[in-house]
């Protein structure tokens, strides 16, 4: 059985130290096979914030995969943004912008949806393109049929109605059927700082909130996900911060059917 922790939007520079301490305790207690980190690990992509994120990653005693979010490239230092946007990421966080992890029971592949510019004024909106989806599908070609297949990116491939103003990652509508045909089980994401699970095209889409930052508004809370199971059954528990500690919501159970995954 696989055990995965999904955290997101750490936003180092705006991290809440107490939450970081509690998160580390939960990680050590859960003993995950893999930690998936879906972007925005810094607040403003400064070198100081990259160092904080690097220190955090070095303290993880378990394998992890990390992918950038829109906050992880500079918005003020335009020379850096356009000429060497990923230098510090590659040196301090991960040499690969789209790393993968594989065991007999699990495949996880990251997609970098961050773009330096966009067609719209708001450059924080991401994109996934055909080259990226095809590369990932090729990497999955020799994954055993019994292994859980996970894709993770910063930007959302599906949104709850109340979050639709945040917009899907551009290219989502083309990418989802390709993922479905490739037997993808689970798509993990962040960006909107809201945790949810949803089944779309027989795949489970699961987001974590901002796990460790003070960038939470209204009824939103800091959160992360504990995911366990195999190709026939997956359990997802959202873990939320209540101001003094993390607590677990009721588990959400998903079962494989002939039409893909079912559950809420
Ligand atoms: Fe974020
Ligand atoms: Fe973001």
């Amino acid at each position: 059985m696989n055990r995965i922790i999904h955290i997101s939007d750490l936003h180092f520079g705006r991290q809440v130290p107490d939450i970081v301490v509690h998160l580390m305790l939960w990680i050590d207690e859960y003993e995950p096979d893999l930690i998936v980190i879906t972007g925005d690990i810094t607040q403003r992509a400064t070198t100081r914030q990259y160092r904080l994120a690097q220190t955090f990653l070095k303290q993880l005693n378990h394998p992890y995969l990390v992918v950038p979010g829109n906050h992880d490239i500079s918005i003020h230092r335009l020379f850096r943004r356009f000429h060497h946007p990923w230098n510090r990421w590659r040196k301090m966080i991960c040499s690969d912008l789209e790393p993968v992890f594989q065991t007999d029971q699990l495949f996880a592949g990251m997609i970098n949806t961050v773009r330096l510019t966009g067609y719209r004024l708001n450059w924080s909106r991401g994109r996934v393109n055909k080259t990226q989806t095809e590369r990932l599908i090729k990497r999955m070609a020799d994954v055993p049929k019994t292994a859980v297949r996970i894709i993770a990116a910063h930007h959302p491939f599906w949104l709850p109605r109340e979050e639709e103003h945040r917009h899907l990652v551009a290219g989502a509508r083309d990418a989802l059927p390709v993922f479905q045909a490739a037997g993808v089980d689970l798509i993990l994401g962040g960006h909107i700082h809201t945790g949810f699970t949803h089944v779309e095209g027989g795949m489970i889409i699961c987001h974590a909130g901002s796990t460790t930052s003070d960038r939470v508004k209204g009824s939103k809370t800091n959160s992360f996900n504990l995911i366990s199971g195999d190709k026939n059954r997956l359990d997802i528990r959202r873990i939320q911060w209540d101001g003094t500690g993390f607590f677990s919501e009721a588990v959400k159970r998903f079962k494989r059917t002939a039409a893909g995954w079912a559950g809420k």
Side-chain angles (χ1 to χ4, degrees):
M1 188 180 74
N2 299 292
R3 293 164 71 81
I4 299 144
I5 293 190
H6 169 213
I7 63 179
S8 196
D9 295 78
L10 306 176
H11 285 283
F12 276 101
R14 290 277 296 271
Q15 82 280 14
V16 180
D18 200 26
I19 297 181
V20 177
V21 169
H22 279 79
L23 173 65
M24 296 306 267
L25 293 173
W26 274 73
I27 290 173
D28 286 338
E29 176 77 22
Y30 193 66
E31 295 190 353
D33 304 303
L34 177 67
I35 301 166
V36 176
I37 309 168
T38 48
D40 278 0
I41 64 166
T42 67
Q43 171 60 17
R44 284 284 170 244
T46 65
T47 300
R48 188 185 76 84
Q49 291 168 2
Y50 263 106
R51 272 199 208 100
L52 290 170
Q54 184 184 35
T55 302
F56 170 81
L57 295 174
K58 279 184 178 166
Q59 289 170 357
L60 296 176
N61 296 315
H62 304 276
Y64 64 85
L65 286 179
V66 59
V67 75
N70 51 296
H71 277 253
D72 299 321
I73 48 174
S74 185
I75 56 166
H76 300 301
R77 304 182 69 165
L78 293 183
F79 182 82
R80 180 180 274 171
R81 182 182 181 102
F82 291 110
H83 291 272
H84 47 83
W86 300 118
N87 272 12
R88 287 167 306 152
W89 183 278
R90 289 185 190 281
K91 270 188 206 153
M92 300 167 76
I93 305 300
C94 183
S95 58
D96 191 342
L97 287 170
E98 295 187 328
V100 298
F101 176 87
Q102 190 170 351
T103 66
D104 289 347
Q105 297 181 61
L106 176 66
F107 171 89
M110 309 301 262
I111 298 181
N112 178 15
T113 50
V114 176
R115 294 296 183 266
L116 305 185
T117 60
Y119 300 123
R120 297 180 175 83
L121 274 178
N122 181 354
W123 292 350
S124 71
R125 289 166 63 174
R127 172 172 291 276
V128 57
N129 63 33
K130 202 174 165 197
T131 306
Q132 290 176 294
T133 51
E134 285 179 352
R135 186 167 54 224
L136 200 49
I137 298 313
K138 260 190 202 161
R139 284 172 150 183
M140 278 194 270
D142 61 349
V143 173
K145 283 206 161 41
T146 51
V148 174
R149 296 174 183 218
I150 297 176
I151 282 176
H154 180 59
H155 294 91
F157 285 82
W158 181 88
L159 284 168
R161 187 171 292 267
E162 63 275 17
E163 299 288 348
E164 280 177 353
H165 63 283
R166 299 297 305 274
H167 303 290
L168 296 179
V169 62
R173 287 187 183 85
D174 292 332
L176 282 176
V178 179
F179 295 155
Q180 187 180 6
V184 170
D185 298 293
L186 183 58
I187 300 175
L188 301 177
H191 186 56
I192 55 170
H193 296 196
T194 298
F196 65 81
T197 54
H198 171 77
V199 174
E200 184 74 20
M203 301 175 286
I204 305 165
I205 298 182
C206 173
H207 274 232
S210 172
T211 303
T212 54
S213 83
D214 64 4
R215 290 175 54 98
V216 286
K217 286 183 194 158
S219 60
K220 294 182 179 181
T221 57
N222 298 99
S223 67
F224 62 96
N225 298 305
L226 303 182
I227 301 163
S228 62
D230 55 30
K231 198 73 178 174
N232 295 311
R233 180 178 144 172
L234 282 169
D235 289 349
I236 300 180
R237 272 196 292 155
R238 183 162 55 179
I239 310 298
Q240 296 204 70
W241 181 253
D242 70 0
T244 57
F246 279 115
F247 70 95
S248 173
E249 283 190 346
V251 65
K252 292 187 175 174
R253 299 225 142 99
F254 296 87
K255 280 188 178 171
R256 172 172 293 286
T257 68
W261 288 94
K264 297 189 190 178

